[in-house]
Amino acid sequence: MAIKKQYLKSKPVCKVTFTVPAEEAKKVAVVGDFNNWNPKGSTLKKLKNGTFKGTFELPKENTYEFRYIVDSNYINESEADRYQWNDYAGTENAVLEV
């Protein structure tokens, strides 16, 4: 898994690209506080090599908790900036700092 950040000079946003290798998966989405934990509109596109990828513009100078949903299973990003305990979920969420 990987996260790539590209800061734009023209707008106060960061283009964040999420990459998830999941050849056997049928569907992968990224959910977090930036989309109210709603997978609609945050589904990653499956590439020919079996990797799922998607880019989102997020307001910079913010911190976001997020997780991936891989075929209905929540998983964390191994390369997250850090992890934070979430009482509501009863587990740690990955944290993205942009």
Side-chain angles (χ1 to χ4, degrees):
M1 290 183 267
I3 296 175
K4 180 181 166 198
K5 300 174 191 173
Q6 179 185 2
Y7 292 91
L8 302 182
K9 292 179 183 173
S10 59
K11 296 192 283 186
V13 298
C14 178
K15 286 177 98 169
V16 181
T17 301
F18 298 94
T19 306
V20 181
E23 288 183 39
E24 305 300 318
K26 295 194 179 353
K27 188 175 180 182
V28 176
V30 60
V31 294
D33 8 31
F34 52 85
N35 64 3
N36 292 319
W37 298 90
N38 186 344
K40 284 194 180 206
S42 63
T43 302
L44 305 182
K45 183 179 179 184
K46 188 168 189 174
L47 306 178
K48 288 181 182 177
N49 66 2
T51 299
F52 287 80
K53 194 172 191 177
T55 302
F56 302 88
E57 287 188 2
L58 303 178
K60 64 182 185 179
E61 297 179 12
N62 285 297
T63 300
Y64 303 98
E65 287 186 39
F66 75 99
R67 298 189 88 186
Y68 297 117
I69 302 175
V70 179
D71 290 342
S72 302
N73 296 312
Y74 285 86
I75 61 168
N76 270 332
E77 166 63 60
S78 58
E79 295 183 23
D81 293 323
R82 61 186 171 87
Y83 299 94
Q84 183 167 312
W85 180 259
N86 183 293
D87 286 332
Y88 179 77
T91 189
E92 282 188 331
N93 289 331
V95 175
L96 176 67
E97 296 173 348
V98 293

